[in-house]
Amino acid sequence: MPLSSYVVTDDLTVLLGLSAAALFLLQNLYKPQPLIHPILLGRQSDVAPVRNPRESAVYRNYSTSAMGRLPLRPAAGIQTVLDLVRADVDSPRTLWSTKITNTQLLARVKACASGIDKLGKFQAGESKVLFLLNDGLDFLIADLAFAAKSITTMTISSPELLAKVLDNHPPSAIITDVVFLPHIVEQIYDIDQHHHTTVIVVGDPGSVGAKLAKEMDLLKFSDIEKEGASDPVDLSPPTDVNHVFTIAFSKTPSGTGFQAVQFTQQNLTAGVAATRSLLPVSSPFTPLDTIVSAFSLSTPYGRTIAYTAVYEGTCLATLNSAQIFTGNEGVRLDAPGALEDINSSSTFPIPSPTILFVKPEHVISLTSSILNASSSGSWLSGWGWRHKVAHAIEGFITKESLWDRFVFDAARVKVLGEGAGTLRALIATGGYTPAETLTPARIAFSIPYVNAVSSDLACGPLFASYPHDLQIHPSSEEGGEFENIAHVGAPTISLEVKLVSVDDVAIEEGKDPIGEVYVRGPPAGTLLGENNQKGENWLPTGYRGKVQPNGCFKVVPQNK
Amino acid sequence: MAFSVGNPVNTALMLYIIYRVNSILFPPVKPPTAIPHDFRDGYSWMPKSHPPTMLYKAATFALLRFIALTTYTPKTLAPFNGVNGQRILLAINGVVFDVSRGRNFYGPEGMYANFAGRDASRGMAKQSFDEEMLTDIDRPLDKLQDLTPSEIENMNGWIDHFSSKYTVCGRLVNEDEV
């Protein structure tokens, strides 16, 4: 039979042909567009052309090199820490439990500074005050007031360091919460310092306080503020930006002893500039945001986050795990604990959180809760997951897709409460997020997710991944210490990073450089007791790092 | 107009439609096992190699620096304005940069041709390309003493920019300092 009798076309053929063509076009034209062009993800840090022997080249963020200089401040004109409280942005917002505007905040700071003056116990540039306060508005006000008077504040990252710090660096005064007061008193009596140290208490010490006041110099913070409110000091002569504004004591990365890092006001403004750059340029921080942070104000990173919130005019609250000085054991961040911790922010009268600065443990536990809730909640969840993963492979993710509405939104509300819909960015700082939780986390939240690393040596993050980066790299066969960790992106905009003690031969062969991470830049502080006459200013962070060819780093703590 | 499997064209089209609908409704979810090395091959790509870096060998650099750094005076720098196809040089704060690659900007018809072969420090600091920013070749170099700190910062920013974009090839001093 001739071929033509096989190729019989009729109306059905036309119909099917049109449908086939339509489906072909549909699938090819409606491919999801990646949120960021992949070519930009291939070169995320700028590499210096020359390197010293046994060291890698110096890496900077790619966008910094376009600007040419490491930014020192979030905007021109922000010289000191007090400038971060912008008098021209005056909408009220809630900081922890208090609704306050910038003008009111500055008024309280001035009153407090004037009260401190009236006490007459402190000398600008010489006295040091130890902060043993839990996070709250009083911490900020006291911090700003002492900064205005050029009195250095000291913070410790854990109550275990208290004894050593009191021994080696006795402060002129200690400011603390009522809750922690008994512990302080014990320590001070132990080292026989109670005649030389003033103790300022935030809150009402009650009868215990009255008894103690007979034996030692005990003052109430609210009294100081009230005293000073009658004639608030004028803050116009600005303090020196290179004056050491705070000393942060923390455990050394190796776990033995403690390190003391000095920060100047310029370090903090540079840190705020770096923290602001964590969010994409198309959706930066706005006064409508609410930031919830898991990092205590007693650490440089937590402090920087708080000052970024103050600068941007957002609402702010910290989680229970950030409360260090309670006299109890710290909050454990295992699976149920992490979830409870995140929901502890609901005790504050803040609007529902839009930006979360949390640790990888929180992310892991939230992700698994959301995915469990979604799979038990809807029979479409497997199908929705499949579609979202397919889009993520192409580089696209959104919170407003059909699948979110049917499957994932309900799960998020179940886990995070009614405010789950407002969440718009998640910044996980810690550096040890396992690679296999990356895709589930990105899909469970479907919001810009930043993987970052911080250190007690610098204000603000050291490394941060690009928020729209959805790349998934299969693990290679080599294995090694960096194998199952998600990458943390390029150095932040204010820092330079290099790896030390690298294998020169391996690098010349083209392998990824692996070595100890050293940083330098405006947000990095200086170790107490060291002078910078060497000129190089590189600080060892206590991390080991590996650089990928696209400029992203993977870091692990050095002594694990 | 019924569908019959015996009709090959219709069957083929129907199979194609079923295949397409299947890939729309149930998209493939396996991420690629081999990492693509070009952005056109896939979203999760990684460049094949690191950007090249050179190992600093102190002796080589000292030699290079000795050969490559020349001392210029305002009069010896001035001819290097690219007019007769020669190199284009400009100086900021005593550092001479070879900006021949930026002929479009600094060459004879460029927007910033004023700066070619001259000391551009004041212009860089004050962000201006006017003739007034330039000091006459016969006069001593501009001491830049009346610049405000923010202008000096601006000028240093330009020095960083030029250092990364162009090569340093000398220093600029007064006639009597050679």
Side-chain angles (χ1 to χ4, degrees):
Chain A
M1 254 206 313
L3 195 62
S4 54
S5 66
Y6 278 110
V7 185
V8 170
T9 61
D10 58 2
D11 295 331
L12 186 59
T13 314
V14 173
L15 197 65
L16 290 177
L18 284 175
S19 318
L23 279 175
F24 175 75
L25 284 175
L26 184 78
Q27 196 167 23
N28 284 352
L29 294 181
Y30 282 94
K31 253 201 190 128
Q33 291 297 312
L35 293 172
I36 172 177
H37 197 289
I39 201 175
L40 294 172
L41 294 172
R43 185 82 185 251
Q44 296 187 40
S45 36
D46 187 58
V47 187
V50 181
R51 65 184 186 86
N52 287 328
R54 296 281 297 155
E55 288 178 5
S56 74
V58 172
Y59 289 85
R60 288 172 146 193
N61 192 291
Y62 198 71
S63 47
T64 311
S65 297
M67 286 190 273
R69 277 181 300 159
L70 301 173
L72 298 171
R73 50 190 67 98
I78 311 287
Q79 301 276 359
T80 64
V81 174
L82 281 147
D83 291 335
L84 287 172
V85 185
R86 290 191 291 183
D88 48 329
V89 174
D90 221 16
S91 44
R93 33 81 155 137
T94 316
L95 294 174
W96 289 279
S97 332
T98 322
K99 200 160 179 164
I100 194 170
T101 66
N102 277 345
T103 328
Q104 289 167 345
L105 184 61
L106 273 177
R108 285 187 67 174
V109 171
K110 285 184 194 169
C112 194
S114 153
I116 291 170
D117 253 347
K118 290 199 172 134
L119 285 180
K121 295 182 200 286
F122 304 108
Q123 268 184 317
E126 294 213 1
S127 307
K128 299 202 192 64
V129 176
L130 180 60
F131 270 54
L132 297 173
L133 274 180
N134 286 317
D135 300 342
L137 188 56
D138 300 302
F139 191 125
L140 268 183
I141 292 178
D143 197 30
L144 286 166
F146 283 113
K149 290 277 130 202
S150 299
I151 298 169
T152 309
T153 56
M154 304 200 288
T155 57
I156 57 178
S157 65
S158 145
E160 299 159 7
L161 297 172
L162 182 56
K164 287 204 193 106
V165 170
L166 284 175
D167 263 340
N168 295 320
H169 302 269
S172 326
I174 300 181
I175 178 168
T176 182
D177 271 325
V178 175
V179 171
F180 205 58
L181 185 58
H183 299 259
I184 310 289
V185 172
E186 226 180 276
Q187 298 268 14
I188 304 181
Y189 268 78
D190 272 346
I191 58 172
D192 206 24
Q193 278 284 327
H194 51 280
H195 296 296
H196 308 289
T197 320
T198 313
V199 176
I200 305 175
V201 182
V202 173
D204 189 7
S207 55
V208 175
K211 243 193 315 180
L212 287 170
K214 298 198 189 91
E215 302 167 27
M216 58 192 289
D217 197 6
L218 191 78
L219 302 164
K220 270 169 63 173
F221 186 65
S222 45
D223 286 343
I224 298 181
E225 225 186 302
K226 241 187 292 186
E227 275 292 313
S230 45
D231 54 3
V233 76
D234 180 17
L235 292 174
S236 47
T239 50
D240 179 12
V241 290
N242 292 318
H243 158 69
V244 174
F245 141 77
T246 192
I247 304 179
F249 291 89
S250 51
K251 298 205 185 106
T252 51
S254 54
T256 61
F258 66 92
Q259 60 187 1
V261 189
Q262 308 177 84
F263 292 101
T264 63
Q265 305 207 21
Q266 193 172 79
N267 292 142
L268 194 73
T269 51
V272 170
T275 313
R276 290 181 76 218
S277 72
L278 288 176
L279 290 187
V281 177
S282 52
S283 50
F285 290 95
T286 66
L288 298 170
D289 279 316
T290 304
I291 296 180
V292 169
S293 156
F295 299 95
S296 164
L297 261 68
S298 300
T299 59
Y301 185 54
R303 201 91 150 264
T304 314
I305 296 173
Y307 278 113
T308 311
V310 168
Y311 176 70
E312 296 287 351
T314 67
C315 299
L316 173 68
T318 46
L319 300 177
N320 273 351
S321 53
Q323 311 304 325
I324 304 180
F325 303 107
T326 51
N328 307 325
E329 287 279 312
V331 171
R332 280 185 36 195
L333 289 179
D334 51 359
L339 211 45
E340 221 180 272
D341 196 35
I342 298 260
N343 288 322
S344 67
S345 66
S346 52
T347 56
F348 294 108
I350 47 169
S352 46
T354 60
I355 300 177
L356 287 181
F357 280 83
V358 290
K359 301 194 175 144
E361 291 97 342
H362 294 108
V363 173
I364 295 172
S365 121
L366 278 175
T367 308
S368 54
S369 312
I370 291 178
L371 292 177
N372 285 339
S374 77
S375 59
S376 60
S378 165
W379 58 277
L380 289 172
S381 67
W383 203 10
W385 170 263
R386 192 171 178 153
H387 272 263
K388 283 201 150 251
V389 171
H391 282 184
I393 293 177
E394 293 295 321
F396 175 78
I397 206 159
T398 175
K399 211 165 60 134
E400 270 116 45
S401 76
L402 208 63
W403 302 108
D404 289 285
R405 241 178 297 157
F406 286 134
V407 182
F408 292 105
D409 277 345
R412 289 176 198 137
V413 167
K414 203 158 145 201
V415 172
L416 288 170
E418 280 306 316
T422 54
L423 198 58
R424 73 176 187 92
L426 187 65
I427 299 163
T429 314
Y432 42 88
T433 312
E436 69 244 1
T437 56
L438 209 51
T439 308
R442 286 168 177 163
I443 292 178
F445 292 101
S446 296
I447 51 177
Y449 172 66
V450 176
N451 209 10
V453 176
S454 69
S455 156
D456 288 316
L457 293 171
C459 290
L462 297 180
F463 298 98
S465 69
Y466 195 76
H468 291 316
D469 178 356
L470 292 173
Q471 289 187 326
I472 312 165
H473 294 121
S475 40
S476 65
E477 317 79 44
E478 307 167 357
E481 51 189 335
F482 297 99
E483 209 29 63
N484 291 317
I485 303 188
H487 75 84
V488 287
T492 48
I493 58 172
S494 315
L495 279 177
E496 299 182 307
V497 170
K498 72 176 178 185
L499 298 177
V500 163
S501 308
V502 298
D503 186 354
D504 278 331
V505 173
I507 297 186
E508 296 297 320
E509 282 172 7
K511 299 222 180 74
D512 295 337
I514 298 181
E516 295 165 22
V517 177
Y518 274 56
V519 297
R520 173 172 78 168
T526 43
L527 290 170
L528 193 62
E530 286 192 9
N531 45 9
N532 294 330
Q533 264 113 28
K534 289 181 291 194
E536 280 295 309
N537 303 349
W538 287 99
L539 279 179
T541 56
Y543 287 111
R544 271 178 67 75
K546 165 174 142 154
V547 194
Q548 297 176 305
N550 62 358
C552 290
F553 280 71
K554 287 189 177 187
V555 294
V556 287
Q558 205 159 325
N559 294 309
K560 273 241 167 96
Chain B
M1 203 178 78
F3 175 73
S4 117
V5 185
N7 186 337
V9 178
N10 283 357
T11 316
L13 284 173
M14 187 59 108
L15 286 175
Y16 178 74
I17 289 176
I18 292 176
Y19 164 73
R20 276 292 176 192
V21 169
N22 188 48
S23 62
I24 291 179
L25 290 182
F26 299 100
V29 284
K30 251 188 350 170
T33 41
I35 304 181
H37 288 304
D38 186 281
F39 71 94
R40 285 167 280 241
D41 294 333
Y43 175 76
S44 296
W45 71 292
M46 182 78 80
K48 205 148 178 215
S49 57
H50 288 260
T53 56
M54 204 163 58
L55 194 51
Y56 175 92
K57 295 206 168 72
T60 327
F61 265 76
L63 191 65
L64 276 177
R65 189 169 282 198
F66 178 71
I67 296 172
L69 272 195
T70 329
T71 307
Y72 293 93
T73 64
K75 290 214 171 90
T76 57
L77 189 68
F80 292 98
N81 55 11
V83 167
N84 293 323
Q86 73 275 53
R87 301 193 295 160
I88 310 179
L89 303 179
L90 70 80
I92 309 179
N93 206 20
V95 183
V96 176
F97 297 96
D98 182 338
V99 299
S100 311
R101 276 187 300 140
R103 187 167 280 274
N104 289 336
F105 295 117
Y106 302 103
E109 291 90 31
M111 286 164 58
Y112 315 138
N114 281 343
F115 285 164
R118 308 295 290 275
D119 175 16
S121 314
R122 183 170 288 266
M124 291 292 168
K126 292 196 182 277
Q127 209 70 33
S128 156
F129 307 110
D130 292 343
E131 281 289 331
E132 299 138 10
M133 296 289 133
L134 298 170
T135 320
D136 213 22
I137 307 177
D138 296 324
R139 308 259 304 283
L141 287 173
D142 193 338
K143 289 206 185 53
L144 306 173
Q145 269 164 352
D146 61 335
L147 291 182
T148 68
S150 70
E151 286 171 346
I152 295 190
E153 211 181 301
N154 195 21
M155 183 178 73
N156 287 333
W158 280 112
I159 293 180
D160 282 342
H161 173 84
F162 273 79
S163 305
S164 58
K165 207 167 168 198
Y166 301 109
T167 29
V168 174
C169 67
R171 55 194 193 105
L172 181 68
V173 297
N174 277 315
E175 300 279 349
D176 40 11
E177 289 169 40
V178 175

